[in-house]
Structure formats: structure tokens, C-alpha cells
Amino acid sequence: DVYKRQGINAEYGALVRLEQLAPFPFDLVMDQLKRYPNAEVAWAQEEPMNMGPFNFVYHHFRTSMSELDKQHGAAAGSRPFLREVRYIGREPAASPSTGFHSIHLMELNKFLDEGLN
């Protein structure tokens, strides 16, 4: 378990891996959203924002959330499924890496800290 290896208390968190992007698995994403209805939704990728799949999956996640709200409606006191998808990863860049090992490690540590905490 990733959280245990990092020494993080995972009582209030879940890390879900999306292994297929096309065709997009709307049904599987909606199953996970239903399983964790109050969770913050975040997409983590090591690539810079403009190079990885974030811009592709963002809209598909939002469509999945909208569909769940249509199917289930907002129950009294419950949080709607439709919410922002937070991005965790490197800032947009012209190159896939900085070219400097020390900066790469700094960015990687920031990415891991933000993604796992």
C-alpha cells in the first residue's frame, strides 16, 4: 500500500489508479466516485500539465460527475458529485524535464508530497 510505505495515515484517503484512458472507462470512474462520495477528486501525473493526459481526462471526469448527479440527484445534506478536479503535477513547460537533476528531484518531491498528503 502506497500510504503505508510513505508512513501516511490513510484513514481518510484513497488512491485510485486509472489504467485505461481510451476508450474512457466512465462506468469504472463513476463506481469509484460513488464509493467515495465526499472525496476530493485530484488527477496526479509526473508529466508537465500541458504534456500529460490531464486536459483529456478532466472533461471526462466532469462528465462522469454530472451523470451521477443526474442519476442520483442531490440527497438531503449530501454533497453533489460535480466538483473541480484538482491537478497535481509539474507546471506547464516547453520541455518534458528541466534538464537539471537537482531541480527534477525538487519537483518530484513536491509532486509526491502533494499527491500523497
Side-chain angles (χ1 to χ4, degrees), residues 14-117:
L15 182 64
V16 178
R17 181 178 173 153
L18 183 64
E19 295 189 20
Q20 174 183 320
L21 298 178
F24 192 80
F26 289 100
D27 56 336
L28 299 176
V29 169
M30 289 191 297
D31 287 346
Q32 293 302 309
L33 290 168
K34 286 188 286 190
R35 185 172 176 191
Y36 303 103
N38 295 313
E40 173 190 20
V41 177
W43 176 264
Q45 66 183 34
E46 192 173 359
E47 300 88 358
M49 187 180 205
N50 59 321
M51 293 185 189
F54 174 72
N55 290 315
F56 173 76
V57 300
Y58 175 84
H59 299 289
H60 291 315
F61 271 99
R62 300 273 298 173
T63 298
S64 299
M65 293 175 202
S66 292
E67 185 59 32
L68 283 172
D69 281 337
K70 287 179 197 170
Q71 289 176 10
H72 298 283
S78 71
R79 179 178 180 184
F81 285 100
L82 184 61
R83 60 193 78 139
E84 277 305 308
V85 178
R86 185 166 67 101
Y87 171 75
I88 300 171
R90 299 176 196 271
E91 294 299 316
S95 160
S97 68
T98 65
F100 294 99
H101 185 66
S102 60
I103 294 174
H104 169 76
L105 291 177
M106 183 178 68
E107 289 178 343
L108 181 61
N109 286 330
K110 180 182 177 238
F111 166 73
L112 291 173
D113 286 344
E114 190 176 347
L116 295 175
N117 290 317

